Amino acid sequence: MKTFDVAIAGGGLIGGTIAFELARAGLHVAVFDRQQPGEGSSWAAAGILSPAPENAGMISTVPLGRASLQLYPEFVASVEESSGQSAGYRARGTLEALFSTDAQEKLSTIIALHHGLGLKAEPVSAEDAREMEAALSPDLEAAVFRPDEACVDNRALTKAVLIAAERSGVKLFSGSNVQSIAKNGGRCAGLIVDGKKIESRWTVIAAGCFSAEIEGAAQYAPVRPAKGQMIALRGKDFSIERVLWSDHVYLVPRNEGRILAGATVEYVGFEKNVTAGGVQKILTAALELVPALADAQIEETWAGLRPDSPDHLPIIGPTDLDGLLIATGHFRSGILLAPITAQLIREWITMQNVTVEWARFSPTRFGEVARATNS
Ligand SMILES: Cc1cc2nc3c(=O)[nH]c(=O)nc-3n(C[C@H](O)[C@H](O)[C@H](O)COP(=O)(O)OP(=O)(O)OC[C@H]3O[C@@H](n4cnc5c(N)ncnc54)[C@H](O)[C@@H]3O)c2cc1C
């Protein structure tokens, strides 16, 4: 029987970043992943780092997103230093293009909303927007520039985090299926992995959209998969500098010249097919935003599964079972929220206290409903 200070189920960006953070705090940490770590949602994402809420329901995650965005430069620097690999971080802001005839009205509303939430946002005229990004459609009416926002190459970052974690002493077990949590005397005492007990003082469930399948975790992490399809394009004779948005699509530049376009949000179970309808939807909106993409080469298409919770908010923190913590449900923002999630879990494990308010994200909030559904 192996014994660790912390056993983590899931080696995506969330589990990997928590492991790296805890190992640097001097803890003996193990991560168990049933596939090759880093090949789940964290591989499939676009890597946009934007705390701006997509709708009113997401406003409560803004403080968490802002705190995480602030941690990003230092997080990337420490990961790159420890791993010797680049994470493809681009801190150049994001530009949201408005096309509607009521664009000016919409612009004022967006700017006021952002400022009310403490987020930087600047109104930009159509001419200035095209000055910033020459490839933008001539049809746009106005734009919003969010100077603090950024993007990162999530595939490179996740790989680098896992290397950095291992170099910091984390034991990474690939091809290791976590079946259930292990209980002992009314507390969580580790994990059952491929029929064997792994003993730990602390246990963290970070298995993305599969977290609810781990026996004993479903009541705290009732997540389901939200499929997202993506396309990687390579433009001919043009590039974009920063993340571009419209109401229907986002475009994300990578340092090696590709432009990622995404993404659909579909509730179709665990299948990850790329569909004609999904590709059509993304490409139609992408060409509306940047017409020159019509000549771009399609280099890759893929789909991934975001971990979505019943209220679409992340699930982070201790449960009512001593020793068991949850870190999942990050839905569309898990790349952004990885550093703050790791910081909060480290603070709780080492001090039983946290420096950022997290009650809203408690794994105990699903209570009786989840217990009844999952019993
Ligand atoms: C198309 C798309 C675009 C996105 N774009 C963005 C974006 O721009 N910005 C952003 O912030 N977020 C984005 N996201 C969301 C982000 O990718 C996720 O929120 C984040 O990656 C979740 O990380 P994770 O580590 O929890 O999950 P994952 O990366 O899925 O990792 C979970 C790991 O757990 C393992 N696992 C599962 N079950 C078990 C088990 N029983 N035993 C052992 N291991 C197990 C899996 O093999 C996997 O490696 C996007 C997601 C998608 C799909």
Side-chain angles (χ1 to χ4, degrees):
M1 185 168 59
K2 295 196 177 96
T3 302
F4 298 92
D5 294 324
V6 187
I8 302 175
L13 185 60
I14 298 296
T17 307
I18 293 170
F20 179 45
E21 177 102 7
L22 290 172
R24 285 194 301 163
L27 293 164
H28 187 33
V29 185
V31 175
F32 301 91
D33 199 294
R34 64 181 178 191
Q35 355 169 65
Q36 192 60 30
E39 293 187 352
S41 190
S42 305
W43 175 90
I48 303 167
L49 305 177
S50 167
E54 284 175 64
N55 53 54
M58 306 305 283
I59 284 176
S60 51
T61 61
V62 171
L64 215 55
R66 280 175 53 193
S68 211
L69 187 64
Q70 274 172 16
L71 291 174
Y72 242 94
E74 211 183 305
F75 169 55
V76 166
S78 65
V79 169
E80 289 185 340
E81 194 191 326
S82 303
S83 67
Q85 309 237 338
S86 165
Y89 177 60
R90 291 169 73 103
R92 304 196 192 161
T94 71
L95 199 61
E96 179 178 352
L98 305 177
F99 285 94
S100 54
T101 44
D102 62 348
Q104 291 307 330
E105 203 179 307
K106 218 170 157 191
L107 187 64
S108 313
T109 311
I110 296 175
I111 300 288
L113 175 75
H114 280 65
H115 291 176
L117 294 169
L119 298 168
K120 274 196 197 155
E122 299 164 11
V124 179
S125 69
E127 297 71 43
D128 288 350
R130 282 178 47 81
E131 187 87 358
M132 293 167 79
E133 294 285 351
L136 272 172
S137 165
D139 296 337
L140 93 157
E141 298 285 338
V144 181
F145 180 50
R146 295 194 280 257
D148 288 349
E149 297 190 344
C151 62
V152 69
D153 182 337
N154 43 283
R155 292 183 187 176
L157 173 67
T158 306
K159 199 169 149 205
V161 162
L162 292 166
I163 292 170
E166 272 197 302
R167 288 188 179 172
S168 308
V170 172
K171 299 278 177 254
L172 220 54
F173 298 92
S174 56
S176 299
N177 184 34
V178 177
Q179 295 159 306
S180 71
I181 61 167
K183 285 189 196 170
N184 190 0
R187 63 176 305 277
C188 178
L191 293 167
I192 305 294
V193 182
D194 294 324
K196 295 194 188 76
K197 185 170 176 190
I198 306 293
E199 209 168 81
S200 59
R201 166 66 186 96
W202 300 96
T203 302
V204 183
I205 304 298
C209 69
F210 302 97
S211 297
E213 292 185 349
I214 295 173
E215 207 184 311
Q219 70 197 62
Y220 306 113
V223 284
R224 63 175 176 153
K227 177 175 138 181
Q229 301 187 46
M230 295 279 302
I231 303 171
L233 301 146
R234 191 171 293 272
K236 243 185 177 179
D237 309 327
F238 79 93
S239 60
I240 60 172
E241 264 307 295
R242 40 185 82 69
V243 174
L244 304 180
W245 316 76
S246 73
D247 272 352
H248 309 293
V249 77
Y250 52 70
L251 299 174
V252 186
R254 287 282 188 255
N255 288 342
E256 66 344 287
R258 303 212 298 179
I259 297 173
L260 308 194
T264 61
V265 182
E266 303 164 65
Y267 292 93
V268 289
F270 289 93
E271 63 93 345
K272 292 200 283 184
N273 298 331
V274 174
T275 63
V279 168
Q280 183 197 31
K281 205 168 155 188
I282 296 167
L283 286 182
T284 303
L287 268 60
E288 262 166 31
L289 185 57
V290 170
L293 280 173
D295 293 326
Q297 191 184 329
I298 296 178
E299 289 200 342
E300 191 186 347
T301 59
W302 68 93
L305 302 174
R306 310 171 182 91
D308 191 14
S309 70
D311 54 13
H312 311 296
L313 300 178
I315 311 170
I316 312 168
T319 65
D320 52 15
L321 187 64
D322 181 27
L324 179 65
L325 291 99
I326 308 290
T328 189
H330 294 81
F331 193 30
R332 305 190 75 175
S333 304
I335 309 301
L336 168 68
L337 297 176
I340 192 68
T341 301
Q343 179 187 308
L344 289 166
I345 297 287
R346 192 249 309 145
E347 287 175 347
W348 184 259
I349 285 179
T350 59
M351 306 185 294
Q352 278 83 70
N353 201 1
V354 289
T355 50
V356 177
E357 176 54 44
W358 68 348
R360 183 71 191 83
F361 311 110
S362 170
T364 57
R365 71 184 186 271
F366 306 104
E368 293 311 317
V369 179
R371 264 171 255 260
T373 315
N374 294 305
S375 61

mmCIF file of all heavy atoms in Angstrom, residues 90-94 132-135 151 238-244 251-255 259:
data_model
loop_
_atom_site.group_PDB
_atom_site.id
_atom_site.type_symbol
_atom_site.label_atom_id
_atom_site.label_comp_id
_atom_site.label_asym_id
_atom_site.label_seq_id
_atom_site.Cartn_x
_atom_site.Cartn_y
_atom_site.Cartn_z
ATOM 1 N N ARG A 90 0.367 34.832 -24.258
ATOM 2 C CA ARG A 90 0.299 36.090 -25.027
ATOM 3 C C ARG A 90 -0.581 37.074 -24.275
ATOM 4 O O ARG A 90 -1.815 36.931 -24.275
ATOM 5 C CB ARG A 90 -0.325 35.860 -26.408
ATOM 6 C CG ARG A 90 0.537 35.061 -27.359
ATOM 7 C CD ARG A 90 -0.276 34.655 -28.578
ATOM 8 N NE ARG A 90 -0.555 35.766 -29.476
ATOM 9 C CZ ARG A 90 0.095 35.977 -30.621
ATOM 10 N NH1 ARG A 90 1.043 35.144 -31.005
ATOM 11 N NH2 ARG A 90 -0.216 36.991 -31.387
ATOM 12 N N ALA A 91 0.040 38.081 -23.663
ATOM 13 C CA ALA A 91 -0.719 39.070 -22.884
ATOM 14 C C ALA A 91 -0.924 40.313 -23.738
ATOM 15 O O ALA A 91 -0.250 41.324 -23.541
ATOM 16 C CB ALA A 91 0.017 39.392 -21.597
ATOM 17 N N ARG A 92 -1.826 40.245 -24.697
ATOM 18 C CA ARG A 92 -2.003 41.383 -25.626
ATOM 19 C C ARG A 92 -3.427 41.900 -25.645
ATOM 20 O O ARG A 92 -3.815 42.624 -26.552
ATOM 21 C CB ARG A 92 -1.591 40.955 -27.026
ATOM 22 C CG ARG A 92 -0.176 40.424 -27.002
ATOM 23 C CD ARG A 92 0.503 40.307 -28.299
ATOM 24 N NE ARG A 92 1.714 39.518 -28.059
ATOM 25 C CZ ARG A 92 2.395 38.898 -28.974
ATOM 26 N NH1 ARG A 92 2.014 38.969 -30.215
ATOM 27 N NH2 ARG A 92 3.474 38.194 -28.664
ATOM 28 N N GLY A 93 -4.242 41.478 -24.696
ATOM 29 C CA GLY A 93 -5.624 41.934 -24.653
ATOM 30 C C GLY A 93 -6.504 41.175 -25.626
ATOM 31 O O GLY A 93 -6.024 40.363 -26.427
ATOM 32 N N THR A 94 -7.812 41.425 -25.525
ATOM 33 C CA THR A 94 -8.764 40.802 -26.447
ATOM 34 C C THR A 94 -9.694 41.884 -27.000
ATOM 35 O O THR A 94 -9.913 42.915 -26.354
ATOM 36 C CB THR A 94 -9.615 39.710 -25.757
ATOM 37 O OG1 THR A 94 -10.532 40.340 -24.849
ATOM 38 C CG2 THR A 94 -8.766 38.703 -25.000
ATOM 39 N N MET A 132 -6.042 48.296 -35.221
ATOM 40 C CA MET A 132 -5.412 47.322 -34.302
ATOM 41 C C MET A 132 -5.320 45.946 -34.952
ATOM 42 O O MET A 132 -4.351 45.212 -34.754
ATOM 43 C CB MET A 132 -6.252 47.204 -33.015
ATOM 44 C CG MET A 132 -6.250 48.452 -32.160
ATOM 45 S SD MET A 132 -7.527 48.380 -30.873
ATOM 46 C CE MET A 132 -6.754 47.343 -29.647
ATOM 47 N N GLU A 133 -6.362 45.564 -35.693
ATOM 48 C CA GLU A 133 -6.424 44.230 -36.313
ATOM 49 C C GLU A 133 -6.924 44.408 -37.743
ATOM 50 O O GLU A 133 -8.139 44.430 -38.007
ATOM 51 C CB GLU A 133 -7.385 43.315 -35.524
ATOM 52 C CG GLU A 133 -6.943 42.978 -34.125
ATOM 53 C CD GLU A 133 -5.794 41.948 -34.081
ATOM 54 O OE1 GLU A 133 -5.445 41.363 -35.130
ATOM 55 O OE2 GLU A 133 -5.259 41.746 -32.975
ATOM 56 N N ALA A 134 -5.990 44.510 -38.679
ATOM 57 C CA ALA A 134 -6.339 44.837 -40.066
ATOM 58 C C ALA A 134 -7.246 43.790 -40.714
ATOM 59 O O ALA A 134 -7.960 44.084 -41.667
ATOM 60 C CB ALA A 134 -5.062 45.002 -40.882
ATOM 61 N N ALA A 135 -7.213 42.561 -40.204
ATOM 62 C CA ALA A 135 -7.994 41.492 -40.843
ATOM 63 C C ALA A 135 -9.477 41.520 -40.464
ATOM 64 O O ALA A 135 -10.280 40.798 -41.053
ATOM 65 C CB ALA A 135 -7.394 40.139 -40.462
ATOM 66 N N CYS A 151 -4.086 35.138 -23.642
ATOM 67 C CA CYS A 151 -4.338 33.739 -23.993
ATOM 68 C C CYS A 151 -3.055 32.949 -23.796
ATOM 69 O O CYS A 151 -1.966 33.517 -23.663
ATOM 70 C CB CYS A 151 -4.887 33.589 -25.408
ATOM 71 S SG CYS A 151 -3.791 34.145 -26.708
ATOM 72 N N PHE A 238 -1.800 36.888 -43.794
ATOM 73 C CA PHE A 238 -2.267 37.797 -42.740
ATOM 74 C C PHE A 238 -2.176 37.066 -41.401
ATOM 75 O O PHE A 238 -2.046 35.847 -41.357
ATOM 76 C CB PHE A 238 -3.721 38.261 -43.004
ATOM 77 C CG PHE A 238 -4.744 37.230 -42.605
ATOM 78 C CD1 PHE A 238 -5.317 37.248 -41.331
ATOM 79 C CD2 PHE A 238 -5.112 36.240 -43.486
ATOM 80 C CE1 PHE A 238 -6.246 36.296 -40.955
ATOM 81 C CE2 PHE A 238 -6.040 35.272 -43.111
ATOM 82 C CZ PHE A 238 -6.609 35.297 -41.844
ATOM 83 N N SER A 239 -2.215 37.849 -40.340
ATOM 84 C CA SER A 239 -2.233 37.231 -39.007
ATOM 85 C C SER A 239 -3.114 38.083 -38.105
ATOM 86 O O SER A 239 -3.503 39.185 -38.483
ATOM 87 C CB SER A 239 -0.800 37.161 -38.448
ATOM 88 O OG SER A 239 -0.292 38.473 -38.372
ATOM 89 N N ILE A 240 -3.432 37.555 -36.939
ATOM 90 C CA ILE A 240 -4.103 38.383 -35.934
ATOM 91 C C ILE A 240 -3.210 38.399 -34.698
ATOM 92 O O ILE A 240 -2.472 37.448 -34.433
ATOM 93 C CB ILE A 240 -5.538 37.894 -35.612
ATOM 94 C CG1 ILE A 240 -5.552 36.464 -35.071
ATOM 95 C CG2 ILE A 240 -6.439 37.999 -36.839
ATOM 96 C CD1 ILE A 240 -6.920 36.016 -34.559
ATOM 97 N N GLU A 241 -3.244 39.501 -33.989
ATOM 98 C CA GLU A 241 -2.352 39.713 -32.843
ATOM 99 C C GLU A 241 -2.952 39.221 -31.545
ATOM 100 O O GLU A 241 -2.290 38.715 -30.667
ATOM 101 C CB GLU A 241 -2.089 41.214 -32.684
ATOM 102 C CG GLU A 241 -0.825 41.719 -33.306
ATOM 103 C CD GLU A 241 0.391 40.926 -32.861
ATOM 104 O OE1 GLU A 241 0.726 40.961 -31.668
ATOM 105 O OE2 GLU A 241 0.990 40.241 -33.710
ATOM 106 N N ARG A 242 -4.264 39.453 -31.412
ATOM 107 C CA ARG A 242 -4.920 39.193 -30.133
ATOM 108 C C ARG A 242 -6.186 38.353 -30.338
ATOM 109 O O ARG A 242 -6.618 38.176 -31.488
ATOM 110 C CB ARG A 242 -5.257 40.504 -29.421
ATOM 111 C CG ARG A 242 -5.756 41.579 -30.342
ATOM 112 C CD ARG A 242 -5.969 42.891 -29.652
ATOM 113 N NE ARG A 242 -4.787 43.718 -29.477
ATOM 114 C CZ ARG A 242 -4.116 44.332 -30.446
ATOM 115 N NH1 ARG A 242 -4.484 44.228 -31.707
ATOM 116 N NH2 ARG A 242 -3.061 45.088 -30.180
ATOM 117 N N VAL A 243 -6.767 37.890 -29.253
ATOM 118 C CA VAL A 243 -8.021 37.129 -29.333
ATOM 119 C C VAL A 243 -9.110 38.062 -29.859
ATOM 120 O O VAL A 243 -9.259 39.192 -29.395
ATOM 121 C CB VAL A 243 -8.436 36.609 -27.939
ATOM 122 C CG1 VAL A 243 -9.816 35.946 -27.994
ATOM 123 C CG2 VAL A 243 -7.392 35.643 -27.403
ATOM 124 N N LEU A 244 -9.866 37.585 -30.856
ATOM 125 C CA LEU A 244 -10.983 38.354 -31.408
ATOM 126 C C LEU A 244 -12.276 37.611 -31.096
ATOM 127 O O LEU A 244 -12.324 36.382 -31.179
ATOM 128 C CB LEU A 244 -10.838 38.503 -32.930
ATOM 129 C CG LEU A 244 -9.536 39.130 -33.442
ATOM 130 C CD1 LEU A 244 -9.543 39.214 -34.966
ATOM 131 C CD2 LEU A 244 -9.342 40.525 -32.844
ATOM 132 N N LEU A 251 -11.682 33.809 -32.085
ATOM 133 C CA LEU A 251 -10.492 33.427 -32.846
ATOM 134 C C LEU A 251 -9.292 33.670 -31.948
ATOM 135 O O LEU A 251 -9.150 34.750 -31.360
ATOM 136 C CB LEU A 251 -10.370 34.274 -34.112
ATOM 137 C CG LEU A 251 -11.530 34.147 -35.114
ATOM 138 C CD1 LEU A 251 -11.365 35.153 -36.251
ATOM 139 C CD2 LEU A 251 -11.602 32.719 -35.671
ATOM 140 N N VAL A 252 -8.425 32.671 -31.826
ATOM 141 C CA VAL A 252 -7.305 32.762 -30.889
ATOM 142 C C VAL A 252 -5.983 32.535 -31.628
ATOM 143 O O VAL A 252 -5.788 31.460 -32.214
ATOM 144 C CB VAL A 252 -7.437 31.697 -29.770
ATOM 145 C CG1 VAL A 252 -6.361 31.883 -28.709
ATOM 146 C CG2 VAL A 252 -8.822 31.733 -29.147
ATOM 147 N N PRO A 253 -5.088 33.541 -31.642
ATOM 148 C CA PRO A 253 -3.806 33.348 -32.328
ATOM 149 C C PRO A 253 -2.833 32.528 -31.484
ATOM 150 O O PRO A 253 -2.796 32.677 -30.263
ATOM 151 C CB PRO A 253 -3.280 34.776 -32.487
ATOM 152 C CG PRO A 253 -3.873 35.527 -31.345
ATOM 153 C CD PRO A 253 -5.187 34.878 -31.003
ATOM 154 N N ARG A 254 -2.098 31.673 -32.140
ATOM 155 C CA ARG A 254 -1.030 30.924 -31.467
ATOM 156 C C ARG A 254 0.326 31.455 -31.947
ATOM 157 O O ARG A 254 0.444 31.918 -33.084
ATOM 158 C CB ARG A 254 -1.119 29.427 -31.823
ATOM 159 C CG ARG A 254 -2.264 28.707 -31.153
ATOM 160 C CD ARG A 254 -1.916 28.414 -29.698
ATOM 161 N NE ARG A 254 -2.897 27.564 -29.078
ATOM 162 C CZ ARG A 254 -3.830 27.967 -28.194
ATOM 163 N NH1 ARG A 254 -3.916 29.228 -27.841
ATOM 164 N NH2 ARG A 254 -4.663 27.106 -27.652
ATOM 165 N N ASN A 255 1.342 31.311 -31.115
ATOM 166 C CA ASN A 255 2.660 31.834 -31.478
ATOM 167 C C ASN A 255 3.199 31.197 -32.749
ATOM 168 O O ASN A 255 3.949 31.822 -33.487
ATOM 169 C CB ASN A 255 3.653 31.627 -30.330
ATOM 170 C CG ASN A 255 3.346 32.570 -29.174
ATOM 171 O OD1 ASN A 255 2.643 33.561 -29.359
ATOM 172 N ND2 ASN A 255 3.851 32.255 -27.993
ATOM 173 N N ILE A 259 -4.462 29.875 -36.164
ATOM 174 C CA ILE A 259 -5.574 30.613 -35.552
ATOM 175 C C ILE A 259 -6.634 29.587 -35.176
ATOM 176 O O ILE A 259 -7.108 28.836 -36.027
ATOM 177 C CB ILE A 259 -6.175 31.639 -36.539
ATOM 178 C CG1 ILE A 259 -5.119 32.697 -36.912
ATOM 179 C CG2 ILE A 259 -7.405 32.306 -35.939
ATOM 180 C CD1 ILE A 259 -5.563 33.651 -38.019
#
